[in-house]
Amino acid sequence: MATMKIPQVLLNSGHLIPTLGIGTASHPMPPPEQLTSILMDSVEAGYCHFDTAASYGTEECVGQAVAGALDRGLIKSRDEVFVTSKLSWKHTHHDLVLPALKETLRTLGPEYVDLYLIHWPLRIKDSADPYKLTGEDMLHFDINETWKAMEECCKLGLAKSIGVSNYSCAKLSKLLENATVPPAVNQVEMNVAWQQQKLRQFCKEKNIHVCSWSPLGANGAAWGSHQVMQSPILKEIAAAKNKSVAHVALRWVHEQGAIPIVKSFSKERMKENIQIFDWKPTHEEVSRIQQIPQAKGFRGERFVFQMGCTNLLKNCGTEKYEFYVPNLFDWEP
Ligand SMILES: NC(=O)c1ccc[n+]([C@@H]2O[C@H](COP(=O)([O-])OP(=O)(O)OC[C@H]3O[C@@H](n4cnc5c(N)ncnc54)[C@H](OP(=O)(O)O)[C@@H]3O)[C@@H](O)[C@H]2O)c1
């Protein structure tokens, strides 16, 4: 397979972003040296857009892979790769944003990130275990004050573009009311089984680019489902086109104007996933994909508590999810 050149598009910040990224969130995680080597393989395969986050523990490997790619002559300068990282939900407070980005840059190596995102629209205590959250762990999250600090990171040149992740239309509207730098990107769960039509339309109107996490539905990982990779419709289209199901799923995201962030740590599947820019599904195939039943892979239940956040209603502490807190994690029908 020939190395595919990934097209780029312009963000509202004036910077270009490659239209396919490689994800680095995984459970379990390979040892760091192995992950660094995998990410260098991805550069060899043609990837130039890395998605990391403070909370993934992969920033150092991404930094080392970029340095290794430079050493091996796979790239000539840092500018040839695009690196996204994300602010942890423990640091979503005005005063904690800049120190968190500085720590990210210390870990990653380069002097700037191409894109810095607020990972989730919420805040938890520093001492909280993100996998065993209780209502007691939730803190007040101020969207506008946190965003002001993100704008400062951009003005200082430490982040070329800034954006958000997992923001609904309602949260984006609130942020835009006071923003002087609009978010360049909203990175959300998006795939054929959770198409996000309303959110995508909203982002298009506001000139915010959508990046799709779990474009393959995470292929059955704890936070995903098999609805994408086992979709009978995708299987039929793939067979008719002599493509793989992953090709059809990723090309559909691209076709919608969004950027798939796909994770594969297998050299073969990495090479496979990049082959989406030289073919197209037909209108009829796209219409069939629109008929796929919709279900969110990641339902966010671990952020939802019986009586809402205890910092607001001081009597929670249970992990039963009987009540949904709409302003904490908005659904997009
Ligand atoms: N902003 C957020 O809140 C958020 C949330 C979740 C994820 N993300 C980002 O988005 C990235 C991608 O999302 P994701 O990891 O959830 O899911 P994904 O990319 O949809 O799926 C990854 C899974 O699919 C498998 N896979 C990859 N290519 C394949 C192919 N061609 N055929 C069959 N299986 C294939 C991978 O296994 P192998 O590795 O074995 O190939 C892995 O198990 C993450 O790594 C992370 O960087 C962001």
Side-chain angles (χ1 to χ4, degrees):
M1 261 183 258
T3 304
M4 184 70 67
K5 179 97 180 120
I6 297 176
Q8 306 197 50
V9 287
L10 197 62
L11 296 172
N12 65 16
S13 58
H15 294 286
L16 291 167
I17 183 171
T19 54
L20 177 69
I22 188 144
T24 63
S26 171
H27 187 74
M29 199 55 89
E33 323 75 60
Q34 198 181 326
L35 180 55
T36 301
S37 160
I38 288 168
L39 294 174
M40 279 168 63
D41 288 343
S42 79
V43 179
E44 202 160 19
Y47 289 84
C48 53
H49 173 177
F50 297 101
D51 185 74
T52 180
S55 64
Y56 299 165
T58 57
E59 289 176 321
E60 193 165 356
C61 294
V62 169
Q64 285 179 358
V66 173
L70 275 164
D71 280 352
R72 272 173 46 188
L74 297 172
I75 51 171
K76 292 191 182 61
S77 75
R78 158 70 180 89
D79 298 354
E80 289 177 36
V81 292
F82 188 101
V83 179
T84 299
S85 194
K86 311 187 195 89
L87 177 73
S88 153
W89 42 12
K90 294 187 174 182
H91 299 134
T92 39
H93 178 277
H94 180 274
D95 299 348
L96 303 179
V97 176
L98 185 56
L101 177 54
K102 285 186 174 166
E103 180 57 23
T104 277
L105 293 175
R106 202 190 55 74
T107 313
L108 253 171
E111 66 274 21
Y112 63 88
V113 285
D114 294 277
L115 178 61
Y116 197 46
L117 305 177
I118 295 180
H119 202 153
W120 287 93
L122 50 89
R123 182 171 173 223
I124 63 171
K125 284 181 185 166
D126 205 25
S127 57
D129 176 347
Y131 295 97
K132 288 187 192 149
L133 288 177
T134 69
E136 294 287 347
D137 294 322
M138 309 304 290
L139 294 175
H140 174 64
F141 168 58
D142 188 323
I143 283 193
N144 293 320
E145 285 301 309
T146 307
W147 188 251
K148 264 190 209 161
M150 293 290 286
E151 290 177 338
E152 196 52 35
C153 295
C154 193
K155 285 169 191 158
L156 289 169
L158 301 177
K160 291 203 169 179
S161 303
I162 49 173
V164 295
S165 179
N166 303 303
Y167 270 52
S168 61
C169 300
K171 286 199 167 58
L172 280 172
S173 298
K174 186 162 169 50
L175 186 154
L176 288 168
E177 276 169 19
N178 292 296
T180 56
V181 179
V185 159
N186 186 16
Q187 187 186 110
V188 293
E189 180 183 348
M190 176 195 159
N191 54 52
V192 296
W194 190 244
Q195 299 188 4
Q196 297 268 28
Q197 285 185 12
K198 180 181 156 204
L199 181 66
R200 283 194 282 117
Q201 182 56 36
F202 181 88
C203 287
K204 194 174 172 187
E205 283 160 19
K206 304 292 178 195
N207 196 18
I208 298 169
H209 222 90
V210 171
C211 290
S212 129
W213 58 259
S214 290
L216 305 181
N219 201 10
W223 59 89
S225 80
H226 292 290
Q227 301 307 315
V228 176
M229 295 302 283
Q230 292 184 6
S231 157
I233 292 180
L234 289 204
K235 284 183 183 174
E236 281 175 29
I237 297 171
K241 282 269 178 301
N242 201 18
K243 296 286 171 193
S244 69
V245 170
H247 284 143
V248 181
L250 296 171
R251 176 70 207 199
W252 176 85
V253 172
H254 178 70
E255 205 75 14
Q256 308 312 304
I259 297 177
I261 308 294
V262 60
K263 175 258 165 189
S264 180
F265 291 169
S266 136
K267 218 170 172 173
E268 287 317 305
R269 287 189 286 279
M270 266 179 207
K271 286 183 187 164
E272 175 190 334
N273 293 344
I274 209 169
Q275 304 295 322
I276 59 164
F277 299 109
D278 57 353
W279 65 280
K280 269 171 101 57
T282 61
H283 287 303
E284 198 217 338
E285 287 164 342
V286 172
S287 310
R288 289 192 69 204
I289 291 173
Q290 269 161 6
Q291 306 311 315
I292 291 175
Q294 296 297 291
K296 213 171 194 308
F298 181 69
R299 295 175 60 82
E301 277 125 339
R302 67 185 151 111
F303 307 140
V304 181
F305 304 97
Q306 190 174 25
M307 300 292 287
C309 306
T310 37
N311 66 318
L312 302 174
L313 301 165
K314 298 274 181 201
N315 55 357
C316 189
T318 172
E319 289 193 333
K320 286 186 195 162
Y321 306 124
E322 288 176 17
F323 290 92
Y324 171 59
V325 187
N327 67 348
L328 182 64
F329 198 81
D330 312 320
W331 297 106
E332 296 292 348

